[in-house]
Each structure stands twice: as C-alpha cells, then as structure tokens.
C-alpha cells in the first residue's frame, strides 16, 4: 500500500453519469490488483472502512450489495 501523504488521485477518466427519472447513477470502472471479494469487503466492512475512510457509510450507501 502506498503512503497516504504521497497518494494523488487521478482524473475520473471514463466515468459515466446516467439519469433515470429522479435516480442518478455514477459509474467508475477501475482495474484493481485485488479480488472483487476483497475490494467489496474493504468498502463494506466497518472495521476496514475505519482504516481508510473518515466516516462509516450510512443510509443507502450502507445497504449496497455487490453486483
């Protein structure tokens, strides 16, 4: 893992925004070296989230399911 102070996020190239009625969807596709299961766990497990996020997800974000 890289040092947080040295991390500079790149542009969201290839990002897609879709609108369906009142519902908006943002799609970001990234190639990661970890398995989808490991990435999903990092995004949804509160213990892992506390290691790299400033807050724990709430509302709709907390109810996400992998596709």
């Amino acid at each position: 893992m890289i040092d947080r102070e040295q991390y500079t996020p790149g542009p969201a190239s290839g990002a897609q925004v879709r609108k369906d009625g009142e519902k908006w969807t943002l799609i970001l596709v990234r190639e990661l070296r970890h398995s989808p299961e490991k990435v999903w766990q990092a995004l949804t497990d509160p213990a892992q989230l506390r290691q790299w996020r400033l807050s724990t997800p709430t509302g709709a974000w907390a109810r996400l399911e992998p596709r």
Side-chain angles (χ1 to χ4, degrees), residues 28-43:
L28 297 169
V29 178
R30 297 290 180 261
E31 295 293 327
L32 304 172
R33 64 180 172 203
H34 301 291
S35 69
E37 295 79 17
K38 188 170 185 174
V39 172
W40 186 253
Q41 192 72 18
L43 291 171

Side-chain angles (χ1 to χ4, degrees), residues 20-58:
D20 182 17
E22 294 297 311
K23 180 182 174 182
W24 288 84
T25 303
L26 172 63
I27 302 169
L28 297 169
V29 178
R30 297 290 180 261
E31 295 293 327
L32 304 172
R33 64 180 172 203
H34 301 291
S35 69
E37 295 79 17
K38 188 170 185 174
V39 172
W40 186 253
Q41 192 72 18
L43 291 171
T44 59
D45 178 30
Q48 290 189 42
L49 278 171
R50 282 190 290 275
Q51 294 178 17
W52 64 274
R53 257 183 78 124
L54 298 177
S55 63
T56 300
T58 59

